[in-house]
Amino acid sequence: MNDKLTSKQLSKKITDEYMEDAFHAHDNNKLVGYTTAISPVEIFVAHDIVPIYPENHAVANLTAKKGVELCSVVEGMGYTSHLCAYARSDLGYRKTGVTVTRGIPDPDLFLACNAQCFTLTKWFQVLARRGDLPVFVFDTPEHILDQKARKEIVKYCVLQLKELISFLEKVTKRKFDYDRLKEVMKYSAASSILYKKFLDMAQYKPSPISIFDALIGMAIAVYRRGTQECVDYYQTLCNEIQAKVDQGIGVLPKDQEKYRLYWENLPVWFKFSDHAKLLGSYGGVILTSLYVHAWSFEFDLNKDPLETLAENYVNRFSNSTIEDRADMAMDLFKKYSMNGMIMFMNRSCKAVSFAVPTLKEVLTKRTGIPALVFESDMGDQRFYAESQVRTRIEAYFETLDRLGLAQKTAAA
Amino acid sequence: MWESLNLKDVVALARDPYPSIRQWARDTGKKVVGSTIADVPEEVIYAFDLLPVTILGTHKPLKKAPSHLPDNACSLARSNLELALSYEGDLFSGFVLPQVCDTTQHLSDIWRINFPDKFVTSYLAPRQADRPSARYWVKEEIERLIDSLGGWLGKKLDSGALANSIALHNENKTILKEFYEIKRNFPGAITNKQFFAMMKVSQQVDKAEFNKSLKAIKDGLKMKKGKNYTDVVMVGITCDPPEIFDIFDDLRVNIVGDTLVTGTRYLQGAPALNGDAIDALADRHFKRGFFSPIHDNVYKNFEEVKKLYKETKAKAVIYVHIEFCESQEYDLPDLKDMIKKEGIPMHVLDTEYQTTSLSHVLTRAQAFFESLKGGSL
Ligand code: SF4
Ligand code: SF4
């Protein structure tokens, strides 16, 4: 039925239906659960809880440059200006109702998974206090290097997933259906493989996608994984990108693609398209980041669903040690033949930015490629110095040119 | 070395304990293991014949740490890393680093990468505390700590040594609680600065020796009531620099209760000696009071603060905010509202490790206590 729709049309259709379902959740006897973008949402889907991601809503507002307006309101409420801009803009939205979308439905419960960050847990607690609503913290200890500890961590997480299921059964007064979970896992596994395939198309030269395509393309993986439509969407997307590859169509034409870049951190949302244009003018295209790969799960359907869920959610990049993050980034460097890196110190996101200085050291040493490091905020324009960033970018490309790095692939 | 200290010595030691710890390590030939806050079971480290030292920042200038961290990393983390990188790193043979928030999680990685030749392990405290899995996990982590210390040192933990260690730590806490009781009733007998210096030093030196000093100091105290003291409850994680306590002492403000991780929370839930030691240490984790990164309920914090305020008949609550501690910053606006609604006067102290000038703290605190006395709050 969806055969004729493009991925863009399909994305819109899926999103509209999803939001419609969310806004009418109570009419259909469903609950709305706020959750974190990296969380075992498969359990929600299997239990007919509509997952809502306040982060996604925040992205829409921050991309539309609503950051300052919303964040300022929150500072007036006593929150400091260096908390995550997602949280600040969300609390601002709660206070003012200002949003560039139709908003998001109010929550009935919360699932905070700290594999992504600790901020979300605290932010959800603030929201939960307002309505005296239940919060379930899915605690994922850091995926430390010790192999024995990793096994124990997975056991601890499986125990918690069982607790999560009991929690949901209690709140909804409905029995959890493990067979349904198995179904959901099949969709999640299939869409994750396709999502990764889509991201990995950045390996081609010229690359048919940039990170900006990946950031748009990842949305469905974030909020609709565990569904057939999510699988359909990524199949369509992969087909479309493959067609571009077959025709040799790149983000930049082949002879202009001088720099294939790695990006560390989340994007500066309100500069999203400006950055793409600016970099393109220097022959640069950002191909990937660890961030977009956070949703390329590798679920093992032969395992107990709770075990494979636990394994996958604890080992996300954001819950991995800096040593492991460096290895993951190096894999991407090699696979995508990248020859430049932009490292963004995002004052909003300590969870990612804490690793940046050390990662920069490690990656520049291991690749022999210099890095551009700049500080700003992903959503609050007050912390973005336009001319400074432009000058740095310009100087960076001059350095790469001087070093003769154009089109040279990363050393192993 | 630490068995016959007087109060003045203790205050000086609290300011910079490291030369003394160095000397002690040289004299005894024992290894020193550093931990940041909170909740590392130091009894286990001590039972391996190591000296557990809680690292609580340095007052020396920042040199190396800023280049490893984001600008808005909390000042405690920055100061701790500086201490290890620039000043005292060589003193420690190993580190046990607890992870409670994003900052401590990543700090552990940075720390390990910067000390490749030392024993560095993380203590993964659960960041939820109300479900059975949390207890399971605390026990697992204590056992993992025992295994990794044992692997590093090439020896097994002696259960008798662990029992003795727990007894010694419990004794220390009992004495500190007695001091607190004296302080509450006889503020003229012991100053805030002296009391919190004893608390801090207890977390940094060998208690087998220090308990002797504490007992002698206690026996020698003159029970002076003092006059015109205003009793307050202090809420937060840590309170630094120690000169903040001077300000309270000068203003004749007596801290009669607190929820600090380096204060009362350190004293809570002494592990029982009559059962399985690891179970007892795990149980203790759940008997301790609210700590923002691991407890999910600010109401609990509020209830604790309210209870303490009532029990101690304090006149106000002083909240110590550590610059850039996001854990506190998400809780504070609501906590403030709850406390205000309850009609409890509250003052927020904005603190930063490495601060040298406290004039702003003094001016604001003076204004607060003057209006408190004048009844205008
Ligand atoms: S941007 Fe960073 S701090 Fe903010 S919610 Fe996402 S992971 Fe957490
Ligand atoms: S809890 Fe706060 S003070 Fe402690 S390390 Fe984390 S951010 Fe810093």
Side-chain angles (χ1 to χ4, degrees), chain A residues 118 350, chain B residues 37-38 73-78 80 100-104 107 237-238 291-293 322-328 353:
Chain A
F118 162 75
K350 290 183 189 173
Chain B
I37 58 167
C74 84
S75 58
L76 172 57
R78 189 184 306 279
N80 279 345
V100 291
C101 59
D102 282 346
T103 301
T104 41
L107 192 67
I237 297 175
T238 63
F291 178 32
S292 172
I322 299 173
E323 179 79 348
F324 297 132
C325 170
E326 52 175 357
S327 178
Q328 289 190 318
Y353 276 73

Side-chain angles (χ1 to χ4, degrees), chain B residues 62-358:
Chain B
L62 290 173
K63 292 194 290 196
K64 295 183 181 163
S67 67
H68 294 273
L69 301 171
D71 282 352
N72 56 354
C74 84
S75 58
L76 172 57
R78 189 184 306 279
S79 190
N80 279 345
L81 186 64
E82 191 65 59
L83 178 134
L85 290 180
S86 299
Y87 301 109
E88 313 294 350
D90 62 314
L91 165 64
F92 298 97
S93 299
F95 298 99
V96 179
L97 304 171
Q99 299 191 359
V100 291
C101 59
D102 282 346
T103 301
T104 41
Q105 176 159 338
H106 298 99
L107 192 67
S108 307
D109 289 352
I110 295 167
W111 209 297
R112 184 178 56 249
I113 291 167
N114 278 281
F115 290 100
D117 301 326
K118 291 187 194 282
F119 170 79
V120 183
T121 191
S122 299
Y123 179 72
L124 307 169
R127 289 160 292 181
Q128 49 105 4
D130 295 330
R131 305 194 306 264
S133 60
R135 197 188 177 289
Y136 162 85
W137 186 243
V138 172
K139 199 171 169 199
E140 280 292 327
E141 276 302 276
I142 296 173
E143 282 167 353
R144 191 172 67 81
L145 176 64
I146 293 172
D147 281 354
S148 50
L149 285 168
W152 171 44
L153 299 168
K155 64 179 184 186
K156 283 224 164 326
L157 177 65
D158 179 289
S159 57
L162 181 57
N164 290 340
S165 170
I166 292 177
L168 184 69
H169 284 75
N170 286 356
E171 182 190 31
N172 171 262
K173 288 168 184 174
T174 305
I175 306 170
L176 289 170
K177 282 185 198 162
E178 289 166 2
F179 269 110
Y180 220 152
E181 203 47 42
I182 294 171
K183 183 179 186 315
R184 272 184 206 115
N185 296 311
F186 301 96
I190 182 161
T191 65
N192 295 302
K193 184 154 185 193
Q194 289 165 341
F195 175 73
F196 283 98
M198 289 191 288
M199 290 286 310
K200 185 176 179 209
V201 171
S202 289
Q203 292 163 62
Q204 299 183 311
V205 304
D206 186 354
K207 291 168 191 67
E209 297 180 16
F210 191 52
N211 285 355
K212 291 183 188 147
S213 291
L214 289 177
K215 279 183 206 158
I217 293 171
K218 188 161 74 71
D219 292 344
L221 279 185
K222 297 204 173 51
M223 300 301 165
K224 285 188 282 186
K225 269 267 180 216
K227 272 190 201 146
N228 298 328
Y229 277 93
T230 306
D231 290 351
V232 299
V233 164
M234 187 172 258
V235 176
I237 297 175
T238 63
C239 182
D240 196 89
E243 286 71 24
I244 290 179
F245 294 117
D246 286 332
I247 292 179
F248 284 114
D249 288 329
D250 291 346
L251 295 170
R252 295 182 91 75
V253 168
N254 187 25
I255 300 166
V256 290
D258 74 271
T259 66
L260 302 180
V261 170
T262 48
T264 293
R265 197 170 177 281
Y266 176 68
L267 306 178
Q268 287 166 335
L273 289 164
N274 56 355
D276 180 85
I278 297 173
D279 274 332
L281 288 169
D283 285 343
R284 187 251 311 269
H285 189 82
F286 300 96
K287 290 183 190 152
R288 284 179 159 159
F290 181 86
F291 178 32
S292 172
I294 60 167
H295 291 111
D296 59 5
N297 192 345
V298 170
Y299 293 117
K300 195 160 26 198
N301 193 15
F302 168 65
E303 288 303 330
E304 271 178 24
V305 173
K306 191 167 85 175
K307 189 163 170 256
L308 199 54
Y309 173 80
K310 287 195 171 149
E311 276 172 7
T312 58
K313 300 193 172 61
K315 296 285 178 289
V317 164
I318 308 296
Y319 187 96
V320 188
H321 164 233
I322 299 173
E323 179 79 348
F324 297 132
C325 170
E326 52 175 357
S327 178
Q328 289 190 318
E329 288 165 5
Y330 277 103
D331 287 356
L332 190 52
D334 283 351
L335 182 67
K336 247 182 177 168
D337 270 2
M338 292 177 207
I339 291 181
K340 208 169 142 197
K341 274 197 193 115
E342 194 65 27
I344 302 175
M346 180 185 187
H347 179 63
V348 178
L349 276 182
D350 291 308
T351 65
E352 190 172 1
Y353 276 73
Q354 248 86 22
T355 305
T356 45
S357 161
L358 288 173

Side-chain angles (χ1 to χ4, degrees), chain A residues 187-343:
Chain A
Y187 296 132
S188 240
S191 68
S192 292
I193 291 168
L194 289 167
Y195 174 62
K196 188 162 187 302
K197 186 176 167 193
F198 155 65
L199 293 180
D200 282 347
M201 290 199 184
Q203 289 175 72
Y204 289 107
K205 289 183 179 174
S207 174
I209 58 164
S210 74
I211 195 167
F212 303 103
D213 300 302
L215 288 164
I216 294 166
M218 77 183 208
I220 302 292
V222 173
Y223 53 75
R224 290 314 282 155
R225 65 184 181 279
T227 64
Q228 174 67 54
E229 65 214 36
C230 183
V231 182
D232 296 344
Y233 170 74
Y234 286 106
Q235 189 59 65
T236 308
L237 188 60
C238 284
N239 294 346
E240 284 173 5
I241 308 297
Q242 186 60 50
K244 282 193 180 179
V245 172
D246 295 343
Q247 296 166 56
I249 300 173
V251 176
L252 295 178
K254 191 166 186 179
D255 56 343
Q256 285 173 33
E257 190 190 69
K258 275 167 72 184
Y259 293 110
R260 298 167 60 83
L261 306 166
Y262 171 80
W263 177 273
E264 177 59 36
N265 220 312
L266 283 77
V268 183
W269 290 108
F270 55 90
K271 282 281 150 190
F272 194 83
S273 52
D274 285 4
H275 280 165
K277 277 186 220 134
L278 180 64
L279 296 168
S281 70
Y282 291 98
V285 48
I286 305 174
L287 299 186
T288 199
S289 68
L290 289 180
Y291 173 66
V292 292
H293 278 269
W295 291 271
S296 340
F297 300 96
E298 291 176 359
F299 294 116
D300 181 345
L301 296 177
N302 294 318
K303 286 189 175 170
D304 176 272
L306 299 187
E307 191 183 342
T308 192
L309 279 170
E311 284 171 350
N312 271 274
Y313 284 99
V314 294
N315 76 9
R316 294 300 88 196
F317 91 96
S318 49
N319 199 42
S320 297
T321 61
I322 296 180
E323 292 95 323
D324 276 343
R325 290 191 202 195
D327 286 345
M328 291 175 192
M330 277 309 295
D331 284 348
L332 295 175
F333 262 92
K334 288 180 205 157
K335 205 166 168 187
Y336 296 12
S337 312
M338 290 185 282
N339 53 359
M341 60 183 109
I342 302 182
M343 323 271 304

